[in-house]
Amino acid sequence: MSVLIVGSTALDSIKTPKAENPRLLGGSASHASVAASFFAPVKLVGVVGEDFPKKYLQLYKKHKINLDGLQILPGKTFHWSGEYEVNMNNRRTLATELGVFETFNPVLPKSYQDSPFVLLANIAPALQSHVLTQMRRPKFVVADTMDLWLNIALPDLLKLLKRVDGFVLNDSEAKQLTKEDNLMVALKKIHKLGPKYVIIKKGEHGAILSSPKGMFVSPAYPLPRVVDPTGAGDSFVGGMMGYLSTANGSIDDNLRRAMVYGSVVASFCCEGFGLNFTNKITRPAIEARFKELEKLTRF
Amino acid sequence: MSVLIVGSTALDSIKTPKAENPRLLGGSASHASVAASFFAPVKLVGVVGEDFPKKYLQLYKKHKINLDGLQILPGKTFHWSGEYEVNMNNRRTLATELGVFETFNPVLPKSYQDSPFVLLANIAPALQSHVLTQMRRPKFVVADTMDLWLNIALPDLLKLLKRVDGFVLNDSEAKQLTKEDNLMVALKKIHKLGPKYVIIKKGEHGAILSSPKGMFVSPAYPLPRVVDPTGAGDSFVGGMMGYLSTANGSIDDNLRRAMVYGSVVASFCCEGFGLNFTNKITRPAIEARFKELEKLTRF
């Protein structure tokens, strides 16, 4: 089955202690869509400007991502630039130019409206809601977010949370949202906001799922070298939703394995700038790392 | 088989945002010995002053800990006092009074020298070495440490590392010791210092083992409430060595399960001040939580 993914489609200029890379393909929808494409057909919803490089459209097409929902508008593509500190854990935003995103009004093509799996990747929660409203009875809807929306669009986010099945956020966002330092307690509080499935991402420490069938402590793939973690969280949810949409059985049966597949794609993402490394991987490489994670965690 | 454990035997005064507890039973050897005692007979090596409360000797005895190697000397018991911040992750030392520890010279009773399993719990590395020298061909020797020894006794620690099978330290200590921010790279560097088995503790994020048979990502038991994390790391290595010493088969066959048992005892430790909670648990409670961790991590 197919996955509809809405989110940001951007150009990222990323500085790390070792290198500087201007105008890479980035954005939550780009990372999530490529990650999901290794498992399932993807329908992308987004907007770019007329300056959007053709090679990036070709990259989407190489991964058979349906672009009927990608608007190309007069103006500039959303541009983010940021810098990572030595340990790659802290990053700061140097500049954000919204460009065509400022007036983005996602309108779903008819062929998109029946997608059974919907990933509302990180983007303003009002836009996430607007896309969801255009869907016909999707089977499973997951939203991701970021601290920015907790700060400037919390009422919108809280409205959205009542309408989704799953919600994904990182540990510091979970603490901020619930004003609670203990993640077990935070999970309970987030369930009360609506979602049946809550996933807290912990970066290099993996992720935790809280669901009707109990909790799952998901591992991260240990990497000896992190080149650029931008998009790792988006790759995680993208890979997860891609796998989920093609697996037989119930969501509860498959979500744990889906999270581990998400972790695997996220690990590849960290090994190159932007999508440079993820772009080159294959399904067998994903399967090999999945098996490694099975071995790494068995006791 | 029995485990010999040397380390500090102390009185801990612990302040948290919610409570203050003076003169609890503490110290690395106390925590590790009680943790190991749920699995195996323990032989304790340590020193206390004449002010050491009788009830704490009784606590050791309740757990059938052999005290032939516990010296009771004129003077005061080692006393540590510390304070935790709101999130329980950061602590600061308020006072350290070495007391009888200042001149501690551990002399092993004859009956101790044949112990096949040796845990050199956190204490000055010169003392750890001195105990190891008195052992006859132990089967498996593990050392723990803390940042203090990296700062003031690094040459002693490096000498010790050439003589042990396993080395346990936490993530920030691993980074400090190797001047390396990536834990996978740090693990490799630590192997070069001697130990075949290196375990990096990551607190609430679990632990990582690097061994001749590969890596293991060990989970932590998720707790909805942390009362006092003091001694959790000592409980982890104590539980691990206790289980290892009684399990059939090779170290490589058993070390992963041993680490998970260590995690379980450490989780109980965090649920009360000092040894208050650990003191009350039973082997069936440990087994139940071990099974829960199996379920929490299966995919």
Side-chain angles (χ1 to χ4, degrees), chain A residues 135-202:
Chain A
M135 298 299 301
R136 288 199 204 97
R137 308 175 55 89
K139 188 179 164 196
F140 193 62
V141 179
V142 167
D144 195 355
T145 196
M146 72 182 289
D147 52 357
L148 175 66
W149 313 121
L150 300 181
N151 294 330
I152 70 167
L154 186 58
D156 288 345
L157 181 65
L158 293 176
K159 261 185 251 169
L160 175 71
L161 290 186
K162 293 198 169 63
R163 303 175 63 198
V164 301
D165 303 297
F167 182 42
V168 179
L169 72 178
N170 73 29
D171 44 2
S172 65
E173 290 154 6
K175 290 174 185 182
Q176 184 184 339
L177 175 61
T178 59
K179 298 181 177 58
E180 173 58 54
D181 216 67
N182 182 294
L183 292 184
M184 297 306 105
V185 182
L187 282 167
K188 279 197 182 160
K189 288 191 174 178
I190 298 170
H191 279 302
K192 284 191 182 146
L193 300 175
K196 264 171 77 177
Y197 301 85
V198 181
I199 292 171
I200 297 180
K201 296 174 288 184
K202 304 196 298 174

Side-chain angles (χ1 to χ4, degrees), chain A residues 87 217 256 295-296 298, chain B residues 181 217 256 295-296 298:
Chain A
N87 69 7
V217 175
R256 291 169 167 232
K295 274 191 200 162
L296 279 170
R298 198 180 297 146
Chain B
D181 216 68
V217 175
R256 290 170 168 232
K295 275 191 201 163
L296 279 170
R298 197 179 298 147

Side-chain angles (χ1 to χ4, degrees), chain B residues 11-14 20-25 56 79:
Chain B
L11 299 173
D12 283 353
S13 295
I14 299 167
E20 199 162 341
N21 279 268
R23 299 173 71 78
L24 297 158
L25 176 56
Y56 293 157
H79 178 234

Side-chain angles (χ1 to χ4, degrees), chain A residues 14-29:
Chain A
I14 298 167
K15 226 169 144 174
T16 68
K18 292 194 178 154
E20 199 161 341
N21 278 268
R23 298 172 73 78
L24 296 158
L25 176 57
S28 63

Side-chain angles (χ1 to χ4, degrees), chain A residues 87 181-182 184-185 202 205 215-217 222-225 256-257 260 290 294-299, chain B residues 87 181-182 184-185 202 205 215-217 222-225 256-257 260 290 294-299:
Chain A
N87 69 7
D181 216 67
N182 182 294
M184 297 306 105
V185 182
K202 304 196 298 174
H205 304 301
M215 280 186 46
F216 173 51
V217 175
L223 284 175
R225 186 165 163 256
R256 291 169 167 232
R257 292 174 71 83
V260 177
F290 183 92
E294 283 185 314
K295 274 191 200 162
L296 279 170
T297 54
R298 198 180 297 146
F299 61 88
Chain B
N87 68 8
D181 216 68
N182 182 294
M184 296 306 105
V185 182
K202 305 196 297 173
H205 304 301
M215 279 187 46
F216 173 51
V217 175
L223 284 175
R225 186 164 164 257
R256 290 170 168 232
R257 294 174 69 82
V260 177
F290 183 91
E294 282 184 315
K295 275 191 201 163
L296 279 170
T297 53
R298 197 179 298 147
F299 62 89

Side-chain angles (χ1 to χ4, degrees), chain A residues 50-87:
Chain A
E50 284 166 330
D51 61 342
F52 193 67
K54 280 219 176 76
K55 62 178 178 183
Y56 293 157
L57 290 175
Q58 277 153 9
L59 190 151
Y60 288 141
K61 283 176 190 160
K62 176 187 155 196
H63 293 283
K64 303 198 168 58
I65 295 168
N66 184 330
L67 301 179
D68 292 349
L70 181 69
Q71 302 174 28
I72 302 178
L73 298 182
K76 288 202 164 183
T77 303
F78 174 46
H79 178 234
W80 174 80
S81 70
E83 181 169 11
Y84 285 89
E85 286 176 15
V86 180
N87 69 7

